[in-house]
Amino acid sequence: MNKTIKVVIGIAILCAVAVAGYYGYNAGKEEEVAKNELFAMDTHMVFTVYGENGDEIIADSMDEVVNLENQLSTNIASSQVGKINSEGQGILKKDGAILMEKSILLNKQTDGLFNPAIYPVVEAWGFTKEEYRVPSQSELDALLPITKIQDVNYDKSTGQVTFNKEGMAIDFGAIAKGYTSSKVIKMFKDAGVKSAIINLGGNVQTLGTKPNGEKWRVGIQHPEISDGYLGIIDIEDKAVITSGGYERFFEEGGKKYHHIIDPRTGSPAESGIESATIVADDGTLADGLSTSLFIMGKEKAIKFWRNSDLDFQFILYTKDGKLLVSEGIADDFTSDTAPIEIIKKK
Ligand code: ADP
Ligand code: MG
């Protein structure tokens, strides 16, 4: 995971710094840049803001990230989610309530592949405590009936969550970082920032352009080449969020097991996709869909995109070494590591 971060940050930040210098030269004054780092949500995060008061603006946003983690983490017993999971019921407030609503919607939109109730299965594989093991199929078959979203009762007006079955649990891990990056970018915007880039463990979101008006250049981690990247995407005002089987996994008996679970089987998704990147305005949507398209596999993902009125573009890297790039970002994406097939809407 650290390598992912280094590469992407390397590119994003190097460019940002280089460009700031260039801008300064042209404009006759150096554009102010503030930068800070934080380890939260099990992720190395880097915040870069151009313009005045950047240090304070970043400090406020880092406080908010910690606040979000304390509300939403499954690993923090006192969080809203931690309490609901240990007590079998509870209340979701503010950000927790927003994430629940988004998760239920995404579950519907993806025919159940995005599933915030999959947590008991994620736990059985040991991903929650890094005590990895391969559960037997009978163990998984016994757990799958307690992962159905229809058995999660959520009352929108009160935020009350109850479960129909014992042992059920919820987890917003597949959208929390995208939600966080969107929220931070919104805070930057509200504080008057015009140019910023944040990197939450390889998931990048940008505000505006680089100070000189050029697009940000964001590198996407190559799943097989450490310190190498699949390609570079040029963006402004967008989130670029990747899900990959290489990010969190363990090996047993010569086989790799990763942390993105196919809710139909209870096992790590084997869809023929190595990594799924989503580019969208909305970080929460991008995070939710990167996990979902990874599970769908190539054909289903393309069909989903073609039929969906959700506003997003994708970069899929397949197990046979090909890049599938949706036409809306094809002109802004380059790769010198793999052949690109452009996918058209129709
Ligand atoms: P990461 O958070 O590592 O960048 P993802 O956004 O793809 O990657 O989220 C993976 C996490 O989401 C897992 O660690 C697990 O907690 C949870 N998860 C696993 N499978 C699913 C699923 N089918 N639907 C929703 N969440 C899932
Ligand atoms: Mg995700």
Side-chain angles (χ1 to χ4, degrees):
M1 193 114 143
N2 275 332
K3 280 188 183 130
T4 317
I5 300 160
K6 256 186 243 151
V7 172
V8 180
I9 293 169
I11 294 164
I13 300 305
L14 259 174
C15 292
V17 170
V19 166
Y22 174 72
Y23 177 86
Y25 174 78
N26 275 330
K29 73 175 175 74
E30 198 71 30
E31 179 78 7
E32 243 182 87
V33 57
K35 197 151 104 181
N36 212 337
E37 301 185 21
L38 173 71
F39 190 86
M41 302 184 176
D42 213 11
T43 298
H44 180 209
M45 304 181 171
V46 185
F47 307 73
T48 308
V49 165
Y50 290 90
E52 285 169 15
N53 306 322
D55 286 321
E56 292 141 61
I57 292 166
I58 290 176
D60 287 347
S61 76
M62 294 201 312
D63 287 348
E64 179 57 21
V65 172
V66 172
N67 167 43
L68 285 174
E69 180 174 27
N70 288 335
Q71 285 186 61
L72 302 170
S73 173
T74 52
N75 287 327
I76 298 177
S78 60
S79 78
Q80 294 180 33
V81 173
K83 275 194 197 153
I84 289 171
N85 289 348
S86 65
E87 289 164 20
Q89 58 92 38
I91 305 275
L92 287 171
K93 282 182 253 166
K94 294 180 187 164
D95 303 288
I98 295 171
L99 284 175
M100 189 63 170
E101 279 170 40
K102 297 232 180 211
S103 295
I104 291 169
L105 188 61
L106 270 165
N107 178 271
K108 235 182 237 143
Q109 287 161 334
T110 61
D111 284 335
L113 293 184
F114 183 91
N115 184 359
I118 197 69
Y119 192 71
V121 171
V122 176
E123 217 169 10
W125 285 90
F127 286 111
T128 55
K129 297 202 172 86
E130 298 186 16
E131 291 163 3
Y132 306 119
R133 59 189 278 274
V134 180
S136 67
Q137 194 55 51
S138 61
E139 184 181 346
L140 293 173
D141 290 343
L143 287 173
L144 286 176
I146 61 164
T147 63
K148 306 295 172 212
I149 193 107
Q150 306 90 282
D151 291 321
V152 178
N153 309 304
Y154 176 62
D155 183 340
K156 233 170 129 171
S157 60
T158 59
Q160 174 86 32
V161 179
T162 57
F163 300 133
N164 288 341
K165 293 181 177 160
E166 191 117 346
M168 291 185 69
I170 50 166
D171 168 22
F172 301 132
I175 47 169
K177 271 180 269 165
Y179 179 74
T180 301
S181 65
S182 272
K183 194 156 190 199
V184 167
I185 289 292
K186 170 137 195 332
M187 285 180 78
F188 288 173
K189 219 177 189 167
D190 290 348
V193 177
K194 298 278 184 296
S195 172
I197 182 165
I198 57 174
N199 187 327
L200 314 188
N203 296 326
V204 172
Q205 191 159 348
T206 62
L207 174 60
T209 61
K210 292 193 278 192
N212 72 343
E214 284 177 9
K215 289 183 177 180
W216 301 99
R217 314 209 72 209
V218 177
I220 294 161
Q221 168 70 39
H222 197 298
E224 290 133 15
I225 307 170
S226 58
D227 284 1
Y229 43 92
L230 275 175
I232 295 176
I233 175 108
D234 294 333
I235 48 154
E236 68 178 87
D237 274 325
K238 290 270 185 288
V240 180
I241 296 194
T242 301
S243 283
Y246 62 91
E247 286 181 319
R248 195 162 300 210
F249 65 90
F250 67 97
E251 279 185 70
E252 201 179 292
K255 203 168 157 20
K256 279 187 182 171
Y257 299 94
H258 61 72
H259 68 316
I260 301 172
I261 303 294
D262 186 330
R264 296 166 296 194
T265 63
S267 289
E270 287 187 49
S271 66
I273 289 184
E274 282 279 306
S275 85
T277 300
I278 304 293
V279 180
D281 290 348
D282 177 354
T284 317
L285 179 75
D287 200 355
L289 290 183
S290 69
T291 308
S292 306
L293 267 67
F294 179 89
I295 302 170
M296 285 177 198
K298 170 176 146 178
E299 272 87 26
K300 202 164 190 272
I302 292 173
K303 210 165 147 196
F304 177 84
W305 175 71
R306 283 192 174 138
N307 294 335
S308 173
D309 45 23
L310 296 170
D311 186 13
F312 74 98
Q313 302 293 323
F314 64 78
I315 300 160
L316 305 177
Y317 181 62
T318 62
K319 282 219 152 67
D320 53 1
K322 293 192 189 108
L323 281 162
L324 308 173
V325 180
S326 59
E327 63 181 334
I329 48 170
D331 290 345
D332 292 316
F333 180 74
T334 51
S335 172
D336 49 19
T337 53
I340 296 175
E341 185 188 337
I342 297 171
I343 307 298
K344 301 220 155 98
K345 202 95 191 186
K346 259 281 142 12

